[in-house]
Amino acid sequence: MSTSSTRSRGVNRRINSLQSNGTQSRESSRARKHSVAQDDAYTYALRVAYLAYLLQPKARRMQHVPAPPPLIHRPSASINDLMKDFSHLKDSKSTRFPHGFMSELEKRLTSVLMGKERKPEYNDPIVKRTFAAFLNAFTEQSFRKRMEKDRRVEDLVLIFFSNATKELQKGKSPRDDAWKLMVDRHLALFVRLISLVLKDHDWVRDRPDLTSRLTTLESKLLAHDQDLAAATSRNGGAGGSTIEVIVPLSHEVKDMPMVQHVARVFGLTIGQVQSDINRYKPVWTEKAALQDLKAYQVYLNLDSRKTLRNDDFDLDESYETWKKAEIHELSQMMLAIVQANPELAKSTPGMSRPPFNRSSSYFDPLDSMYSDATKKTTESPNASSYAIDQPVDMRSLNSSNETPETESEDDEVFTYIPSDARLYYRFILAHMLTHDLTNLKARPSEAADPTLLSKESTELLNELSLRWRVSQPSRAVLYLDVIRENFVDQEISLEMLDAAFNFVKEPPQDAQRQQSLQGSLLIDRAKWTLTDIATLQQLLLALHDALLRELYIIMQNCYEPKPPMVGPIMYVLENHIQGDPSFPKSPEEIIAFSGQLYRGLQQKAHEMYRNYLEKEVPPDQSSWEFFHVIELGKSVVALAQRIQKRYRKDPEILGVSPLAALVETILPLFAEDARDIVARILQLAKEKQEDVPIEDGFLLYGELTEIRRIHSDVLPKIPFAFHIEELLADFVWRWICTTEAAIPDWVDRAVKQDRFVVRTEHKDQIPTEDERHSVSVIDIFSSFKQTIDRIVQLNWDDDLQYAKFMTSLARVVGIGIARYCEVLEQKFSREMDRLTPEQEAATNQSKQEKWLQVAKDAWNNKDKIEPFQFFPESFVKLNNVDYATLQLDKLEHEVNVDACAAVIQSHALPVTQRQKKINNYVFTIKIVEAEDLKACDMNGLSDPYVVLGDEYQKRLAKTRIIYRNLNPRWDETVDITTQGPLNIIATVWDWDTLGDHDCVGRASLKLDPSHFSDFLPREYWLDLDSQGRILLRVSMEGERDDIQFYFGKAFRTLKRTERDMTRRITDKLSAYINHCLSRRALKSLLSNRTTMSSVSSYFNRNRPAPPVQPPSAAEVTHALNPLFAYFDDNFAIMKQTLTDAAMLMVMTRLWKEVLATIEALLVPPLSDKLSQQRQLNQQELDIVFKWLQDLYDFFHAVDEETGEAIGVPLDILRSPKYFDITTLNFFYFETTESLIRTSEKMASATASRHQTQRNRLSAPANFSGPSFGGAAGLVGLPSTRRSKTIMHSRNLGTMRKAKEEKRKEAQADPNDDMILRILRMRPEAERYLRDRSRQKERLAAAAAADMIVKQSLMAGGGRMMGNLPRR
């Protein structure tokens, strides 16, 4: 059976036993111990320790040899003579000590006695004794008091001299006077100390005389001090010399640190060890050590089993290399013993001995016989070397030719080397490690050595391995084997195991430390013995087995809040065990362990989930709530996120992912439980007829989707247990319905709280563009965005359902915008239709007074044209609509309307299978114009407006009032939604200031969806029941549940509101425009040119009338100055409040009013009947075109300084109507026949062009210009005008695109409308007008027929018509 299979079975048994009993013991990894007697191990360790004491470098010391004291005859100066210089000084400030000097001197004397004085001459013990005697006298109270008073130098010097003499005279014979010189020296040192105190405190400058005298006194005292440093002055002046002597060995254990450590390791007392040393001292000698080496060398040469042999190595080269190094080291060791005891060399004279060479070619510091302390002693300057100065005969040390006495292999032939040195070394190593670990536990605050051994143990092991010849690899392997044994027995931690491996692999940073195990595992393992390699493999296997058990135990707790760290154990496994080249790898064992570990993690994850389930979900089903599922999900997600974060860097442990094991276990369990719990909660709520709170459903969805995301990330191939969106979609629909019901109230509250003022911080501050709208529109769109964001933030993971949600929300937004526009228009209308002060005063008049005032005004021909006083609040409302349009466009892009529509379209049924049923229809009715209305006012005109109502007299829409006009043009649009046919009644009323409004006429129209099955716009000329007719343009489209449709409807609502508001503003200005650009104004301008000669010509008919001079260009322009001033006044008011966009919109609308007024001044409206309007003459036409050019320049507003246009852009000014008016000049005075021919040519060309397009595209022809009425007007044939459908208005981009296409179409397709309008003023063209009307009717009918055929073919046999309801 192979080794790998055996190990695999062992791992399986180990894991099975671990799972069965859960024990944390490492006993299964413990190796079998060999027996070594402790006494024998102690004896051999003691021998080596004692030998180290014998061979240590001998200590040396300096010994003093006294010399006979010679008689010294040397003269000395008298103290009185020395002090003469001070006695002659005058008593002045410069000769006295300064105040505070005594305290500083006392401090300096104290520092001398304490040895803190920096000067070396004060460190002599005799000097300190003399100074101490003086300090006692100095601190006496009476003396100190006198000195503080007098402060004289001579008093201090005399007292010191007296005390020094007494102190140095003690113990001296009367004949010895050498001490007198010492008195002079000490006194000089005292004087020097005084000078130092003065100098340190900067008192020298004020007392130069005192300083000079002190320096002189010091020099005199040292005049006879030349020999004080000589040898005769040493030893207190006794003299003598010193010699170096060797300290003899005491053979006391107290002087043997290594022997003391042996005693501590084996638990013996100093007395017991001393007794053993005394007993074996004669045997344990240096000579015996030398004999051991000689014998070991002989056995090595004989290839004996007492040493390593060739069989112990795998390669012969390895053995030879080891043997060569061993022989060299033995010679070095023998030389070291001889150097330690030269007597051994003297016993063999006759041979010269080579000196001990420290720098030999091979020297392994790890095998050096010296400890660190020994080397330090040897390398000290005073230590003697081992070099032998005299030649020594070493022949007796070379015993290569000698044979030891014959003895058996089991006999002890060595004194210091045991029979099995390797086994003894391991035993003692284990003993020392146990001892050191015990001491380390007793002192946990001390830092542990990386070897886990103390310094004393390391030195002893070094000595043992050196004396017993334990190889370096063996030391490392045995060290690791002992570490393995302690780790298995849980005596050392994983950190200590890692430190041990690092120690034997990496050299320590301190290069001076010479450890026996340093770098030993880095030696080429081909040079190792087979026993070391086998031992290393066994201990690696044992450690691998133990570490796997530890790893399994740690991983069983990996789901706990604070589990043990798995990094250290994986580091040891990967770097020290599996990464070792000697480790026998076994993939089968790792695979088996990974499987067991994965199953264990799954079981642990299952237990964790069950604990969460019991904690978060109550057992009673009737009390279940979504909150319980949410909390359970949060616990599951928190656990998964914690595990994911914990194992982010190392997601797999030996091929096992804790996160995968967790997720694969708990997520399917949670999904199933969540599905069942949610279904049960919904069922119980339905039975109780209660609704689960919507927010609970949203919170549950967020938690479930987060769990599903984690599930898909970790388990991409396994589907989630159920479809979350399908289960919880009802909560979103409920929320949308609730929002839809609340939207109108939101809008009403926002409008109610809004004062519609610009949002400036200060009242007089000019508002910026962003401050010109009020808060209501901001609040409303904030509500819209929050509504949409609420769904977006759900991150709904079903595209089709999400698109449907957005569609419904688009409908809700449209409802809100429609309500907001309705409320704004109501307020705006009330502000714009308010009565003037004169009108308010007129309301208080009686009916007779009102008629009299009207008659008076009419008699005086009074025109009440005054600037309308606009409210800033009205302009703010217009700004709000413009801002709402921009925000809706931004919202449309954020929602990504086109993408939502594309998703719904992609999931829709094929066209052939689709059953399209339209329940609601949107009719767009545009009230275009009326003509030949009945005059209801005294001035022969009317002030018409139109009211649309249904058959039940419900008002549907109302237009604005067009003052003093029988051919008004409104161009107002209204949407009417119906589910079937609807009869509408258009009533034209005349607005009167006084009394009730007069009815001008009525007409009715039936809106039947079946008549609009082609969805093409139609035009209806409806004859009024009194006089005249009204033109309605009607189009229909089915109301669809489509997001683009809802946004388009909202955009169209805003645009119509904006247009209606703008029109109401411009209507207040249009009366004055009509007044200034009227035929009356032309007549007035020309009548001012009448002269006296022209008047007299009326009375003299025989005389030709002189020509009337036309007005000059300045006079023509001057006629418009009141209008320009009127515009400037109103523009100034508007500019204060309106935004730039709104201002441009108002000015554009005014420009259209100007063009419409000038057009009405030139030609009548298009019709098939003759007009009563008179054609202008050449002078009048020139004036009108000059007015047009002046107004063009006024609205363009070019800055004279910069040349920059700040008014209406040119593309707006140069509209199709502007070009139509400018082309009138070419046809206005043409003859009727020429105009008819031109019209026929243009009609023929247009018909040919459209026929060509119809043949090429198979599409119906598009004819420009509306029909004239008649039978076509009654039937309502399709119009060739482009229909502004809701889909064309779904955002600002599509609206701009449609507008540009309309503009291009108008420019590219010229027509003869202007010619026909000129012909209406020519009575001779009446017949042609009727014929041209019939021709247009025929062409329109043909176009309608082609369009219906085309749509039928495209729809597959009339599909669109067949799906519409029939009457």
Side-chain angles (χ1 to χ4, degrees):
M1 185 178 295
S2 64
T3 306
S4 61
S5 62
T6 305
R7 287 166 49 210
S8 299
R9 276 206 321 276
V11 172
N12 292 336
R13 288 196 302 270
R14 176 180 71 252
I15 298 177
N16 292 334
S17 63
L18 179 64
Q19 291 178 334
S20 61
N21 52 35
T23 179
Q24 297 186 10
S25 174
R26 305 183 183 127
E27 293 298 326
S28 61
S29 303
R30 182 178 298 176
R32 182 179 60 85
K33 294 183 178 180
H34 300 280
S35 58
V36 173
Q38 182 170 343
D39 293 341
D40 294 341
Y42 157 70
T43 302
Y44 277 103
L46 183 62
R47 297 177 189 182
V48 174
Y50 179 67
L51 179 61
Y53 171 72
L54 295 178
L55 296 180
Q56 69 180 354
K58 301 301 185 291
R60 299 173 181 270
R61 66 185 180 187
M62 302 300 295
Q63 184 172 344
H64 177 72
V65 179
L71 295 177
I72 300 176
H73 300 282
R74 203 174 276 176
S76 62
S78 171
I79 187 62
N80 295 325
D81 298 336
L82 295 175
M83 297 302 295
K84 286 181 179 180
D85 293 338
F86 288 92
S87 61
H88 294 309
L89 289 175
K90 295 181 180 179
D91 191 6
S92 63
K93 177 181 177 182
S94 62
T95 59
R96 291 177 178 269
F97 291 124
H99 292 286
F101 173 79
M102 299 303 169
S103 299
E104 297 300 330
L105 179 61
E106 183 179 357
K107 294 178 183 178
R108 199 64 175 260
L109 291 171
T110 304
S111 64
V112 170
L113 299 181
M114 295 176 67
K116 297 181 180 180
E117 182 60 40
R118 296 185 299 272
K119 302 295 182 180
E121 57 266 22
Y122 294 97
N123 294 327
D124 191 350
I126 302 177
V127 174
K128 292 181 180 180
R129 191 178 69 186
T130 305
F131 275 57
F134 168 73
L135 184 60
N136 291 332
F138 181 74
T139 55
E140 187 179 352
Q141 187 175 2
S142 58
F143 176 75
R144 182 66 175 270
K145 185 175 181 181
R146 181 164 54 86
M147 288 303 302
E148 291 288 351
K149 179 180 178 182
D150 298 337
R151 295 183 287 125
R152 296 191 302 177
V153 178
E154 53 268 28
D155 294 342
L156 280 178
V157 173
L158 291 176
I159 292 299
F160 185 89
F161 177 80
S162 174
N163 285 277
T165 302
K166 293 177 182 179
E167 191 64 29
L168 293 176
Q169 192 177 7
K170 293 179 181 179
K172 304 297 182 181
S173 62
R175 295 180 298 173
D176 186 7
D177 58 353
W179 58 272
K180 295 182 180 180
L181 295 177
M182 295 301 293
V183 173
D184 294 345
R185 175 181 175 84
H186 290 189
L187 184 58
L189 292 176
F190 177 71
V191 173
R192 181 181 299 175
L193 188 66
I194 293 174
S195 300
L196 290 174
V197 173
L198 292 173
K199 182 178 180 181
D200 292 345
H201 292 80
D202 202 16
W203 288 325
V204 176
R205 293 182 300 176
D206 298 337
R207 291 164 175 79
D209 295 337
L210 178 60
T211 304
S212 175
R213 296 298 188 275
L214 289 174
T215 303
T216 303
L217 178 60
E218 181 183 351
S219 301
K220 291 180 178 180
L221 290 171
L222 294 178
H224 307 290
D225 193 36
Q226 295 85 356
D227 299 331
L228 289 179
T232 56
S233 65
R234 296 175 184 169
N235 196 24
S241 62
T242 58
I243 61 174
E244 188 179 48
V245 297
I246 297 175
V247 179
L249 297 176
S250 64
H251 296 281
E252 298 290 336
V253 175
K254 62 182 180 62
D255 297 330
M256 307 176 187
M258 193 174 292
V259 173
Q260 295 176 16
H261 187 65
V262 172
R264 288 192 296 270
V265 169
F266 288 94
L268 301 177
T269 62
I270 299 298
Q272 292 174 331
V273 176
Q274 185 68 56
S275 176
D276 292 338
I277 289 178
N278 293 337
R279 184 188 312 154
Y280 296 106
K281 183 168 57 175
V283 181
W284 298 346
T285 61
E286 297 96 324
K287 184 176 181 180
L290 186 61
Q291 293 294 334
D292 281 356
L293 294 177
K294 291 168 59 179
Y296 184 86
Q297 188 177 32
V298 172
Y299 287 124
L300 180 63
N301 292 329
L302 294 178
D303 199 18
S304 171
R305 293 191 179 275
K306 298 291 183 182
T307 64
L308 295 179
R309 304 173 61 188
N310 191 14
D311 298 340
D312 295 325
F313 292 88
D314 187 29
L315 300 176
D316 295 340
E317 293 81 359
S318 302
Y319 171 71
E320 294 299 331
T321 302
W322 171 82
K323 183 177 180 180
K324 181 178 179 181
E326 194 75 2
I327 292 174
H328 176 76
E329 291 181 8
L330 289 173
S331 300
Q332 293 293 321
M333 291 174 63
M334 287 188 287
L335 287 175
I337 293 174
V338 172
Q339 288 177 344
N341 190 355
E343 298 296 331
L344 296 177
K346 293 180 181 179
S347 61
T348 57
M351 286 293 295
S352 63
R353 176 186 56 178
F356 180 69
N357 184 11
R358 281 187 179 272
S359 60
S360 59
S361 61
Y362 178 83
F363 178 74
D364 189 354
L366 300 178
D367 294 331
S368 174
M369 56 172 251
Y370 308 112
S371 65
D372 292 344
T374 304
K375 284 196 170 185
K376 291 178 181 179
T377 307
T378 306
E379 294 171 359
S380 62
N382 297 328
S384 62
S385 66
Y386 287 107
I388 304 174
D389 298 333
Q390 299 297 328
V392 180
D393 187 2
M394 296 295 293
R395 286 181 298 173
S396 62
L397 300 180
N398 187 4
S399 306
S400 59
N401 297 326
E402 297 181 8
T403 304
E405 298 178 0
T406 305
E407 48 185 316
S408 64
E409 293 291 338
D410 296 334
D411 293 338
E412 294 184 0
V413 297
F414 301 110
T415 303
Y416 293 98
I417 305 176
S419 57
D420 192 345
R422 199 171 182 275
L423 185 61
Y424 274 80
Y425 181 84
R426 186 194 181 284
F427 182 86
I428 295 174
L429 174 61
H431 230 66
M432 290 184 177
L433 184 62
T434 302
H435 173 266
D436 292 342
L437 289 176
T438 303
N439 292 338
L440 183 62
K441 293 177 181 178
R443 298 186 299 273
S445 59
E446 296 184 5
D449 192 271
T451 62
L452 305 181
L453 296 170
S454 62
K455 180 180 179 181
E456 295 80 3
S457 298
T458 303
E459 292 177 352
L460 180 57
L461 288 173
N462 286 342
E463 198 67 26
L464 292 176
S465 62
L466 180 68
R467 297 300 164 191
W468 295 352
R469 308 309 307 147
V470 179
S471 64
Q472 195 178 60
S474 297
R475 302 176 211 169
V477 170
L478 294 176
Y479 171 73
L480 290 180
D481 192 42
V482 173
I483 293 295
R484 183 269 312 162
E485 182 179 24
N486 281 269
F487 178 75
V488 171
D489 292 339
Q490 299 183 352
E491 295 295 333
I492 63 175
S493 63
L494 185 66
E495 290 76 11
M496 293 180 177
L497 177 65
D498 177 50
F501 270 100
N502 290 330
F503 174 74
V504 298
K505 287 182 179 181
E506 302 175 1
Q509 297 180 356
D510 187 1
Q512 298 299 325
R513 296 182 59 188
Q514 305 296 338
Q515 303 289 354
S516 61
L517 304 178
Q518 177 183 351
S520 55
L521 285 186
L522 302 179
I523 297 176
D524 185 8
R525 296 191 181 179
K527 299 179 182 180
W528 286 25
T529 63
L530 298 177
T531 303
D532 291 338
I533 294 177
T535 303
L536 180 61
Q537 290 178 347
Q538 292 174 3
L539 72 89
L540 290 177
L541 287 173
L543 285 175
H544 187 260
D545 185 69
L547 290 172
L548 288 184
R549 291 175 62 84
E550 290 291 323
L551 178 62
Y552 187 91
I553 294 170
I554 291 176
M555 292 303 295
Q556 288 300 298
N557 299 318
C558 70
Y559 299 140
E560 299 296 332
K562 293 183 179 180
M565 295 180 62
V566 72
I569 194 170
M570 288 303 302
Y571 177 82
V572 174
L573 269 174
E574 294 174 356
N575 291 274
H576 298 322
I577 308 300
Q578 298 174 355
D580 194 281
S582 299
F583 177 71
K585 297 178 175 58
S586 176
E588 295 83 0
E589 180 181 357
I590 299 299
I591 294 174
F593 174 78
S594 299
Q596 294 287 348
L597 178 59
Y598 192 79
R599 289 188 290 273
L601 291 178
Q602 285 184 320
Q603 182 179 357
K604 193 68 178 179
H606 192 276
E607 294 176 2
M608 295 289 294
Y609 176 74
R610 287 302 168 194
N611 294 335
Y612 286 147
L613 186 64
E614 294 175 359
K615 177 182 178 182
E616 303 297 345
V617 181
D620 184 13
Q621 295 185 6
S622 61
S623 61
W624 284 354
E625 296 179 1
F626 281 0
F627 172 77
H628 300 132
V629 182
I630 293 173
E631 291 301 316
L632 179 61
K634 288 182 178 179
S635 300
V636 171
V637 171
L639 177 60
Q641 290 177 346
R642 185 169 68 244
I643 299 304
Q644 185 180 21
K645 182 179 180 181
R646 183 176 297 165
Y647 296 98
R648 182 186 299 112
K649 294 183 179 179
D650 299 311
E652 292 187 355
I653 307 298
L654 294 181
V656 177
S657 172
L659 180 61
L662 175 69
V663 173
E664 288 182 7
T665 303
I666 65 174
L667 290 191
L669 293 174
F670 171 79
E672 295 175 1
D673 291 341
R675 177 193 59 198
D676 297 340
I677 294 174
V678 172
R680 182 58 179 165
I681 293 173
L682 295 177
Q683 181 183 359
L684 291 175
K686 185 177 181 180
E687 293 175 357
K688 297 178 181 179
Q689 296 182 352
E690 298 176 352
D691 289 333
V692 180
I694 296 176
E695 284 300 322
D696 290 353
F698 287 173
L699 292 175
L700 177 63
Y701 178 77
E703 198 63 40
L704 291 178
T705 52
E706 177 64 18
I707 294 176
R708 183 174 61 186
R709 182 191 63 79
I710 298 175
H711 184 279
S712 62
D713 291 344
V714 182
L715 307 172
K717 297 182 180 179
I718 301 177
F720 201 66
F722 66 99
H723 192 239
I724 303 173
E725 287 73 17
E726 182 178 356
L727 186 63
L728 300 178
D730 183 61
F731 288 92
V732 182
W733 290 118
R734 286 171 51 198
W735 185 81
I736 293 175
C737 293
T738 304
T739 304
E740 182 178 357
I743 276 289
D745 185 53
W746 293 355
V747 173
D748 292 342
R749 287 203 307 267
V751 174
K752 185 178 180 180
Q753 296 173 2
D754 193 0
R755 296 186 296 116
F756 294 100
V757 295
V758 293
R759 297 173 295 106
T760 54
E761 296 181 359
H762 305 289
K763 184 177 180 180
D764 298 333
Q765 181 180 352
I766 299 176
T768 62
E769 286 292 305
D770 293 336
E771 296 174 343
R772 293 177 182 262
H773 51 270
S774 60
V775 296
S776 61
V777 68
I778 298 176
D779 295 340
I780 289 173
F781 272 90
S782 297
S783 301
F784 291 161
K785 290 182 180 180
Q786 291 174 4
T787 301
I788 294 175
D789 289 344
R790 191 68 185 90
I791 302 300
V792 173
Q793 290 170 1
L794 291 176
N795 294 321
W796 202 262
D797 201 17
D798 189 305
D799 292 341
L800 179 59
Q801 288 185 354
Y802 178 79
K804 291 182 179 180
F805 294 157
M806 291 295 108
T807 301
S808 297
L809 287 178
R811 177 168 50 83
V812 172
V813 170
I815 293 173
I817 289 177
R819 177 59 182 170
Y820 185 66
C821 290
E822 178 184 0
V823 176
L824 280 191
E825 278 196 287
Q826 292 175 358
K827 289 180 172 292
F828 187 82
S829 299
R830 286 195 296 268
E831 294 167 358
M832 300 301 293
D833 295 340
R834 71 187 186 277
L835 298 177
T836 62
E838 293 80 2
Q839 292 172 343
E840 290 181 357
T843 56
N844 299 324
Q845 295 176 351
S846 64
K847 189 174 183 180
Q848 184 178 3
E849 292 174 343
K850 294 178 181 177
W851 281 110
L852 289 175
Q853 184 66 35
V854 171
K856 183 179 180 181
D857 293 340
W859 176 262
N860 295 327
N861 196 18
K862 180 179 179 181
D863 291 327
K864 296 183 179 179
I865 307 299
E866 297 179 359
F868 183 78
Q869 298 298 324
F870 293 101
F871 287 165
E873 293 83 354
S874 303
F875 294 147
V876 171
K877 293 180 179 65
L878 180 59
N879 293 339
N880 286 358
V881 176
D882 179 62
Y883 177 80
T885 305
L886 298 176
Q887 291 301 310
L888 184 63
D889 186 69
K890 183 178 179 182
L891 191 65
E892 190 263 352
H893 285 84
E894 291 176 355
V895 172
N896 200 353
V897 170
D898 295 338
C900 293
V903 170
I904 295 177
Q905 183 65 28
S906 65
H907 289 81
L909 294 174
V911 177
T912 56
Q913 302 178 10
R914 212 176 295 170
Q915 295 181 356
K916 185 175 181 181
K917 294 183 179 180
I918 301 177
N919 297 324
N920 295 328
Y921 301 91
V922 179
F923 283 93
T924 301
I925 302 175
K926 184 173 184 179
I927 305 171
V928 183
E929 60 181 339
E931 62 180 26
D932 296 334
L933 296 180
K934 181 179 67 174
C936 298
D937 294 337
M938 296 177 60
N939 56 5
L941 300 173
S942 295
D943 301 323
Y945 67 93
V946 181
V947 175
L948 289 183
D950 60 7
E951 52 191 328
Y952 304 104
Q953 298 182 355
K954 178 183 178 181
R955 177 181 287 190
L956 301 177
K958 175 188 174 184
T959 67
R960 72 190 190 280
I961 302 170
I962 304 297
Y963 295 96
R964 295 181 296 278
N965 200 325
L966 297 179
N967 298 295
R969 187 177 185 89
W970 292 280
D971 286 329
E972 293 191 21
T973 307
V974 62
D975 286 341
I976 299 176
T977 302
T978 180
Q979 296 181 349
L982 177 67
N983 291 319
I984 63 170
I985 300 173
T987 304
V988 181
W989 294 88
D990 172 58
W991 182 86
D992 288 329
T993 305
L994 305 176
D996 297 332
H997 299 182
D998 300 324
C999 179
V1000 179
R1002 289 185 178 88
S1004 63
L1005 177 67
K1006 184 176 183 178
L1007 301 179
D1008 192 344
S1010 61
H1011 296 165
F1012 292 84
S1013 58
D1014 54 0
F1015 295 96
L1016 292 177
R1018 284 170 167 77
E1019 291 184 349
Y1020 294 91
W1021 277 102
L1022 304 178
D1023 293 329
L1024 300 178
D1025 57 359
S1026 58
Q1027 175 184 334
R1029 58 181 180 172
I1030 184 171
L1031 176 61
L1032 301 181
R1033 185 175 296 131
V1034 183
S1035 63
M1036 186 200 75
E1037 57 185 319
E1039 185 170 7
R1040 298 180 292 173
D1041 187 19
D1042 183 88
I1043 188 171
Q1044 292 177 332
F1045 178 85
Y1046 290 131
F1047 267 97
K1049 191 174 181 180
F1051 269 111
R1052 191 157 72 171
T1053 301
L1054 287 171
K1055 278 299 180 182
R1056 285 180 179 175
T1057 303
E1058 183 180 65
R1059 185 171 60 249
D1060 292 343
M1061 287 184 175
T1062 305
R1063 184 171 289 157
R1064 282 184 174 274
I1065 293 174
T1066 56
D1067 283 348
K1068 298 299 179 181
L1069 309 177
S1070 61
Y1072 198 67
I1073 295 175
N1074 294 329
H1075 171 74
C1076 294
L1077 302 177
S1078 62
R1079 288 179 177 261
R1080 180 185 301 175
L1082 279 174
K1083 183 179 179 181
S1084 175
L1085 182 61
L1086 292 174
S1087 63
N1088 293 333
R1089 304 298 303 170
T1090 304
T1091 63
M1092 293 299 297
S1093 60
S1094 62
V1095 172
S1096 62
S1097 65
Y1098 292 130
F1099 300 96
N1100 189 1
R1101 297 187 179 183
N1102 296 324
R1103 184 179 178 182
V1108 179
Q1109 294 294 328
S1112 64
E1115 291 174 339
V1116 173
T1117 303
H1118 181 72
L1120 293 181
N1121 286 342
L1123 180 60
F1124 292 154
Y1126 184 72
F1127 282 157
D1128 288 336
D1129 293 341
N1130 285 278
F1131 289 167
I1133 297 173
M1134 296 176 187
K1135 191 64 176 177
Q1136 293 176 359
T1137 307
L1138 287 178
T1139 61
D1140 292 343
M1143 189 67 190
L1144 178 62
M1145 189 165 46
V1146 171
M1147 294 180 68
T1148 302
R1149 182 61 195 174
L1150 279 176
W1151 173 247
K1152 291 181 179 179
E1153 289 288 338
V1154 167
L1155 292 179
T1157 303
I1158 292 179
E1159 184 184 37
L1161 190 63
L1162 294 173
V1163 293
L1166 186 65
S1167 178
D1168 58 346
K1169 299 179 180 179
L1170 292 177
S1171 175
Q1172 299 299 323
Q1173 182 173 336
R1174 180 183 61 83
Q1175 186 171 350
L1176 301 178
N1177 57 34
Q1178 186 65 50
Q1179 287 184 354
E1180 292 173 335
L1181 184 66
D1182 292 341
I1183 292 173
V1184 170
F1185 277 100
K1186 181 64 171 66
W1187 283 351
L1188 179 62
Q1189 183 62 40
D1190 291 341
L1191 288 168
Y1192 179 91
D1193 296 337
F1194 175 81
F1195 277 91
H1196 191 40
V1198 177
D1199 193 340
E1200 297 179 356
E1201 296 181 358
T1202 62
E1204 180 183 359
I1206 57 177
V1208 181
L1210 289 177
D1211 58 339
I1212 296 177
L1213 292 175
R1214 296 176 179 177
S1215 62
K1217 185 177 290 293
Y1218 174 78
F1219 284 107
D1220 288 343
I1221 294 174
T1222 55
T1223 58
L1224 276 175
N1225 200 18
F1226 298 102
F1227 305 105
Y1228 201 74
F1229 295 107
E1230 290 285 333
T1231 63
T1232 302
E1233 293 77 8
S1234 177
L1235 291 177
I1236 292 175
R1237 287 194 300 269
T1238 305
S1239 175
E1240 289 176 346
K1241 290 180 182 178
M1242 295 179 68
S1244 177
T1246 301
S1248 300
R1249 183 169 60 253
H1250 286 291
Q1251 182 63 37
T1252 303
Q1253 294 178 357
R1254 184 169 56 205
N1255 295 335
R1256 183 176 67 252
L1257 302 175
S1258 298
N1262 293 327
F1263 295 96
S1264 61
S1267 62
F1268 289 161
L1274 295 176
V1275 176
L1277 290 177
S1279 171
T1280 58
R1281 294 180 181 269
R1282 180 180 298 273
S1283 175
K1284 294 182 180 179
T1285 64
I1286 292 178
M1287 299 302 291
H1288 288 162
S1289 304
R1290 62 181 182 269
N1291 56 45
L1292 293 180
T1294 58
M1295 295 169 68
R1296 283 192 292 267
K1297 184 177 179 181
K1299 187 175 181 180
E1300 184 65 25
E1301 289 179 356
K1302 179 182 177 181
R1303 181 185 183 89
K1304 290 181 180 178
E1305 181 181 347
Q1307 293 177 354
D1309 193 12
N1311 54 63
D1312 59 342
D1313 289 352
M1314 280 298 177
I1315 296 177
L1316 295 175
R1317 295 173 72 175
I1318 296 174
L1319 290 174
R1320 286 193 65 193
M1321 296 183 293
R1322 309 284 179 90
E1324 61 271 20
E1326 180 178 5
R1327 183 176 179 181
Y1328 177 76
L1329 291 175
R1330 287 196 301 268
D1331 295 341
R1332 184 77 174 94
S1333 175
R1334 295 191 194 100
Q1335 182 186 8
K1336 284 202 171 188
E1337 290 173 5
R1338 290 193 299 270
L1339 293 175
D1346 291 341
M1347 180 65 70
I1348 293 173
V1349 172
K1350 178 186 175 183
Q1351 290 185 351
S1352 299
L1353 292 175
M1354 294 178 61
R1359 174 184 57 82
M1360 296 181 68
M1361 295 179 62
N1363 291 332
L1364 290 171
R1366 298 291 181 181
R1367 293 182 60 184

